[in-house]
Amino acid sequence: MNIISDSIRQDREYAQILSSIEEQFRQKPQPLIISGLSGGAVGAFYISLVMDLSEKYKKCILIAAADEREAAKIVSYLFAEGIRAYLYPVRDFVLYNISASHELEHERLSVLSALKNGDAEVVVTTPDAQLSADICTNF
């Protein structure tokens, strides 16, 4: 992935995106929507972005994906590159009395614990999962 990541880093548009993100870090952070990447470039783009921002700012990065499937893909790309990435899943609401597994709650708590301990480099989630826990306040 290094060849692809290096190629992305040399691209003029990538430099503009990175510059926009860095400007947001200096001001009040705002969401930034990035779209139009082809399948193979998505992983390399996120790897490049996370590596560049992590080196410079030494803070955990929050990525909000469109859905959990996309979020899981992003986490797998980052994890394969040795980046400590966590998937923060959306909470299942149970509206009736049943015996349910608490696996998702344990996953969510482990991500919050990693944030608190400073172990997470990246948290990937969906907007609805992010809003349900307000995990931005932990960064």
Side-chain angles (χ1 to χ4, degrees):
M1 197 62 85
N2 289 337
I3 295 170
I4 298 171
S5 295
D6 290 343
S7 296
I8 286 176
R9 283 184 168 134
Q10 294 172 2
D11 187 69
R12 183 178 51 86
E13 288 182 58
Y14 176 78
Q16 290 173 342
I17 291 169
L18 192 58
S19 174
S20 295
I21 292 170
E22 289 175 340
E23 185 176 322
Q24 291 294 327
F25 272 121
R26 282 184 245 121
Q27 300 172 2
K28 183 180 177 189
Q30 297 289 320
L32 182 67
I33 297 173
I34 300 168
S35 63
L37 297 171
S38 65
V42 171
F45 173 79
Y46 281 115
I47 289 166
S48 300
L49 193 63
V50 166
M51 290 177 135
D52 288 342
L53 293 174
S54 291
E55 283 177 22
K56 190 166 187 174
Y57 295 101
K58 309 288 188 220
K59 291 186 177 185
C60 185
I61 298 166
L62 175 67
I63 297 173
D67 56 38
E68 280 200 47
R69 190 170 135 212
E70 182 182 342
K73 281 183 184 178
I74 295 169
V75 168
S76 68
Y77 293 139
L78 297 172
F79 191 75
E81 203 57 37
I83 297 169
R84 294 182 319 259
Y86 291 83
L87 174 63
Y88 189 79
V90 68
R91 181 176 182 198
D92 286 338
F93 290 103
V94 179
L95 303 176
Y96 47 89
N97 192 12
I98 64 167
S99 176
S101 169
H102 295 286
E103 184 178 335
L104 282 177
E105 294 304 319
H106 291 286
E107 286 179 38
R108 290 164 58 95
L109 287 172
S110 70
V111 173
L112 294 176
S113 176
L115 280 169
K116 185 179 184 311
N117 296 333
D119 295 333
E121 289 180 88
V122 181
V123 173
V124 184
T125 189
T126 59
D128 51 341
Q130 177 186 348
L131 290 173
S132 71
D134 196 19
I135 60 176
C136 283
T137 59
N138 293 305
F139 291 95

Coordinates of all heavy atoms in Angstrom, one line a residue, residues 69-112:
R69 N -21.0 -0.8 7.3 CA -20.2 -1.7 6.4 C -19.0 -0.9 5.9 O -17.9 -1.4 5.8 CB -21.1 -2.1 5.2 CG -20.5 -3.1 4.3 CD -21.5 -3.7 3.3 NE -20.9 -3.7 2.1 CZ -21.4 -3.5 0.9 NH1 -22.7 -3.3 0.8 NH2 -20.8 -3.6 -0.2
E70 N -19.2 0.4 5.5 CA -18.1 1.2 5.0 C -17.1 1.5 6.2 O -15.9 1.4 6.0 CB -18.6 2.5 4.5 CG -17.5 3.4 3.9 CD -18.0 4.8 3.4 OE1 -19.2 4.9 3.2 OE2 -17.2 5.7 3.3
A71 N -17.7 1.7 7.4 CA -16.8 1.9 8.5 C -15.9 0.7 8.8 O -14.7 0.9 9.1 CB -17.7 2.3 9.7
A72 N -16.5 -0.5 8.7 CA -15.7 -1.7 9.0 C -14.6 -1.9 7.9 O -13.5 -2.3 8.3 CB -16.6 -2.9 8.9
K73 N -14.9 -1.5 6.7 CA -13.9 -1.6 5.6 C -12.7 -0.6 5.9 O -11.5 -1.0 5.8 CB -14.4 -1.2 4.3 CG -15.2 -2.3 3.6 CD -15.7 -1.8 2.2 CE -16.5 -2.8 1.5 NZ -17.0 -2.3 0.2
I74 N -13.0 0.6 6.3 CA -12.0 1.6 6.7 C -11.2 1.1 7.8 O -9.9 1.2 7.8 CB -12.7 3.0 7.0 CG1 -13.3 3.5 5.7 CG2 -11.6 3.9 7.5 CD1 -14.2 4.7 6.0
V75 N -11.8 0.6 8.9 CA -11.0 0.0 10.0 C -10.1 -1.1 9.5 O -8.9 -1.1 10.0 CB -12.0 -0.5 11.1 CG1 -11.3 -1.3 12.2 CG2 -12.7 0.7 11.8
S76 N -10.6 -2.0 8.7 CA -9.7 -3.1 8.2 C -8.5 -2.6 7.4 O -7.4 -3.1 7.5 CB -10.5 -4.1 7.4 OG -11.0 -3.6 6.2
Y77 N -8.7 -1.5 6.6 CA -7.6 -0.9 5.8 C -6.6 -0.4 6.8 O -5.4 -0.6 6.6 CB -8.1 0.2 4.9 CG -9.0 -0.1 3.8 CD1 -10.1 0.7 3.5 CD2 -8.7 -1.2 3.0 CE1 -10.9 0.4 2.4 CE2 -9.5 -1.5 1.9 CZ -10.6 -0.7 1.6 OH -11.4 -1.0 0.5
L78 N -7.0 0.4 7.8 CA -6.1 1.0 8.7 C -5.4 0.0 9.6 O -4.2 0.1 9.8 CB -6.9 2.0 9.6 CG -7.5 3.2 8.8 CD1 -8.4 4.0 9.8 CD2 -6.5 4.1 8.2
F79 N -6.2 -1.0 10.1 CA -5.6 -2.0 10.9 C -4.6 -2.8 10.2 O -3.5 -3.2 10.8 CB -6.8 -2.9 11.5 CG -6.3 -3.9 12.6 CD1 -6.1 -3.4 13.8 CD2 -6.1 -5.2 12.3 CE1 -5.7 -4.2 14.9 CE2 -5.7 -6.1 13.3 CZ -5.5 -5.6 14.6
A80 N -4.8 -3.1 8.9 CA -3.8 -3.9 8.1 C -2.5 -3.1 8.0 O -1.5 -3.7 7.8 CB -4.4 -4.2 6.8
E81 N -2.6 -1.8 8.1 CA -1.4 -1.0 8.0 C -0.7 -0.8 9.4 O 0.3 0.0 9.5 CB -1.7 0.3 7.3 CG -0.7 1.1 6.6 CD 0.1 0.3 5.6 OE1 -0.6 -0.5 4.8 OE2 1.3 0.5 5.4
G82 N -1.3 -1.4 10.4 CA -0.7 -1.2 11.8 C -1.2 0.0 12.5 O -0.6 0.3 13.6
I83 N -2.2 0.6 12.1 CA -2.8 1.7 12.8 C -3.8 1.3 13.8 O -4.6 0.4 13.4 CB -3.4 2.7 11.7 CG1 -2.3 3.2 10.8 CG2 -4.2 3.8 12.4 CD1 -2.9 4.0 9.6
R84 N -3.8 1.8 15.0 CA -4.7 1.4 16.0 C -6.1 2.0 15.8 O -6.4 3.1 16.2 CB -4.2 1.7 17.4 CG -2.9 1.0 17.8 CD -2.5 1.3 19.2 NE -2.5 2.7 19.5 CZ -1.5 3.6 19.5 NH1 -0.3 3.2 19.2 NH2 -1.7 4.8 19.8
A85 N -6.9 1.3 15.0 CA -8.2 1.8 14.6 C -9.3 1.0 15.2 O -9.2 -0.2 15.4 CB -8.4 1.8 13.1
Y86 N -10.3 1.7 15.7 CA -11.4 1.1 16.4 C -12.8 1.4 15.6 O -12.9 2.6 15.2 CB -11.5 1.6 17.8 CG -10.4 1.1 18.7 CD1 -9.2 1.8 18.7 CD2 -10.6 0.0 19.5 CE1 -8.2 1.4 19.5 CE2 -9.5 -0.4 20.3 CZ -8.3 0.3 20.3 OH -7.3 -0.2 21.1
L87 N -13.6 0.5 15.6 CA -15.0 0.7 15.1 C -15.9 0.9 16.2 O -16.0 0.0 17.1 CB -15.4 -0.6 14.2 CG -16.9 -0.5 13.7 CD1 -17.1 0.6 12.7 CD2 -17.2 -1.9 13.1
Y88 N -16.6 2.0 16.2 CA -17.6 2.3 17.2 C -19.0 2.0 16.6 O -19.5 2.8 15.8 CB -17.5 3.8 17.7 CG -18.3 4.1 18.9 CD1 -17.9 3.7 20.1 CD2 -19.6 4.7 18.7 CE1 -18.7 4.0 21.2 CE2 -20.3 5.0 19.8 CZ -19.9 4.7 21.1 OH -20.7 4.9 22.2
P89 N -19.6 0.9 17.0 CA -20.8 0.5 16.3 C -22.0 1.3 16.8 O -22.0 1.9 17.9 CB -21.0 -1.0 16.7 CG -20.2 -1.1 18.0 CD -19.1 -0.1 17.9
V90 N -23.1 1.3 16.0 CA -24.3 1.9 16.4 C -25.0 1.1 17.4 O -24.9 -0.1 17.5 CB -25.2 2.2 15.1 CG1 -25.7 0.9 14.6 CG2 -26.4 3.1 15.5
R91 N -25.7 1.7 18.3 CA -26.4 1.0 19.4 C -27.8 0.5 18.9 O -28.5 1.2 18.2 CB -26.7 2.0 20.5 CG -27.4 1.4 21.7 CD -27.5 2.4 22.8 NE -28.1 1.7 23.9 CZ -28.7 2.3 24.9 NH1 -28.7 3.6 24.9 NH2 -29.3 1.7 25.9
D92 N -28.0 -0.8 19.2 CA -29.3 -1.4 18.9 C -30.3 -1.0 20.0 O -30.0 -1.3 21.2 CB -29.2 -2.9 18.8 CG -28.5 -3.4 17.6 OD1 -28.5 -2.6 16.6 OD2 -28.0 -4.5 17.6
F93 N -31.4 -0.4 19.6 CA -32.4 -0.1 20.6 C -33.4 -1.3 20.6 O -33.9 -1.7 19.6 CB -33.2 1.2 20.2 CG -32.3 2.4 20.4 CD1 -31.7 3.0 19.3 CD2 -32.1 2.9 21.7 CE1 -30.9 4.1 19.5 CE2 -31.3 4.0 21.8 CZ -30.7 4.6 20.8
V94 N -33.6 -1.8 21.8 CA -34.6 -2.9 22.0 C -35.8 -2.3 22.6 O -35.8 -1.8 23.7 CB -34.0 -4.0 22.9 CG1 -35.0 -5.1 23.1 CG2 -32.7 -4.5 22.3
L95 N -36.9 -2.4 21.9 CA -38.2 -1.8 22.3 C -39.1 -2.7 23.0 O -40.2 -2.3 23.4 CB -38.9 -1.1 21.2 CG -38.0 -0.1 20.4 CD1 -38.7 0.5 19.2 CD2 -37.6 1.1 21.4
Y96 N -38.7 -3.9 23.2 CA -39.6 -4.9 23.9 C -38.7 -5.8 24.8 O -37.4 -5.8 24.6 CB -40.4 -5.7 23.0 CG -39.6 -6.3 21.8 CD1 -38.9 -7.5 21.9 CD2 -39.5 -5.6 20.6 CE1 -38.2 -8.0 20.9 CE2 -38.7 -6.1 19.6 CZ -38.1 -7.3 19.7 OH -37.3 -7.8 18.7
N97 N -39.2 -6.4 25.8 CA -38.5 -7.2 26.8 C -38.0 -8.5 26.2 O -38.8 -9.5 26.1 CB -39.4 -7.4 28.0 CG -38.5 -7.9 29.2 OD1 -37.3 -7.9 29.1 ND2 -39.2 -8.3 30.2
I98 N -36.7 -8.6 25.9 CA -36.2 -9.9 25.4 C -34.8 -10.0 26.0 O -34.2 -9.1 26.5 CB -36.0 -9.9 23.9 CG1 -35.0 -8.9 23.4 CG2 -37.4 -9.8 23.2 CD1 -34.6 -9.1 21.9
S99 N -34.3 -11.2 26.0 CA -33.0 -11.5 26.4 C -32.0 -11.3 25.2 O -32.2 -12.0 24.2 CB -32.8 -12.9 26.9 OG -31.5 -13.2 27.3
A100 N -31.2 -10.3 25.3 CA -30.3 -9.9 24.2 C -28.9 -10.0 24.6 O -28.5 -9.8 25.7 CB -30.7 -8.5 23.7
S101 N -28.0 -10.2 23.6 CA -26.6 -10.2 23.8 C -26.1 -8.8 24.0 O -26.6 -7.8 23.4 CB -25.9 -10.7 22.5 OG -24.5 -10.5 22.6
H102 N -25.1 -8.6 24.8 CA -24.6 -7.3 25.1 C -23.2 -7.1 24.4 O -22.4 -6.3 24.8 CB -24.4 -7.2 26.6 CG -25.7 -7.1 27.4 ND1 -26.5 -6.1 27.3 CD2 -26.3 -8.1 28.1 CE1 -27.6 -6.3 28.0 NE2 -27.5 -7.6 28.5
E103 N -23.0 -7.9 23.3 CA -21.7 -7.8 22.6 C -21.5 -6.4 22.1 O -20.3 -5.9 22.2 CB -21.8 -8.8 21.5 CG -20.4 -8.9 20.7 CD -20.5 -9.9 19.6 OE1 -21.2 -10.9 19.7 OE2 -19.7 -9.8 18.7
L104 N -22.5 -5.8 21.5 CA -22.3 -4.4 21.0 C -21.9 -3.4 22.1 O -21.1 -2.5 21.9 CB -23.5 -3.9 20.2 CG -23.7 -4.5 18.8 CD1 -25.0 -4.0 18.2 CD2 -22.5 -4.1 17.9
E105 N -22.6 -3.6 23.2 CA -22.3 -2.7 24.3 C -20.8 -2.9 24.8 O -20.2 -1.9 25.1 CB -23.2 -2.9 25.5 CG -24.7 -2.6 25.2 CD -24.9 -1.1 24.7 OE1 -24.2 -0.2 25.3 OE2 -25.7 -0.9 23.8
H106 N -20.4 -4.1 24.8 CA -19.0 -4.3 25.2 C -18.0 -3.7 24.1 O -17.0 -3.2 24.5 CB -18.7 -5.8 25.3 CG -19.4 -6.5 26.5 ND1 -18.9 -6.3 27.8 CD2 -20.5 -7.3 26.6 CE1 -19.7 -6.9 28.6 NE2 -20.7 -7.5 27.9
E107 N -18.4 -3.8 22.9 CA -17.5 -3.2 21.8 C -17.5 -1.7 22.0 O -16.4 -1.1 21.9 CB -18.1 -3.5 20.4 CG -17.8 -5.0 20.0 CD -18.4 -5.2 18.6 OE1 -18.4 -4.3 17.7 OE2 -19.0 -6.3 18.4
R108 N -18.6 -1.1 22.2 CA -18.7 0.3 22.4 C -17.9 0.8 23.6 O -17.1 1.8 23.6 CB -20.1 0.8 22.5 CG -20.9 0.7 21.2 CD -22.4 0.8 21.4 NE -22.9 2.0 22.0 CZ -23.3 3.1 21.4 NH1 -23.3 3.1 20.1 NH2 -23.7 4.1 22.0
L109 N -18.0 0.0 24.7 CA -17.3 0.4 25.9 C -15.7 0.2 25.7 O -15.0 1.0 26.3 CB -17.7 -0.5 27.1 CG -19.1 -0.1 27.7 CD1 -19.6 -1.1 28.7 CD2 -19.1 1.3 28.3
S110 N -15.3 -0.8 25.0 CA -13.9 -1.0 24.7 C -13.3 0.2 23.9 O -12.2 0.6 24.1 CB -13.6 -2.3 24.1 OG -14.1 -2.4 22.7
V111 N -14.1 0.7 23.0 CA -13.7 1.9 22.2 C -13.6 3.1 23.1 O -12.6 3.8 23.0 CB -14.6 2.1 21.0 CG1 -14.2 3.4 20.3 CG2 -14.6 1.0 20.0
L112 N -14.6 3.3 23.9 CA -14.5 4.5 24.8 C -13.3 4.3 25.8 O -12.7 5.3 26.2 CB -15.8 4.6 25.6 CG -17.0 5.0 24.7 CD1 -18.3 5.0 25.5 CD2 -16.8 6.3 24.0

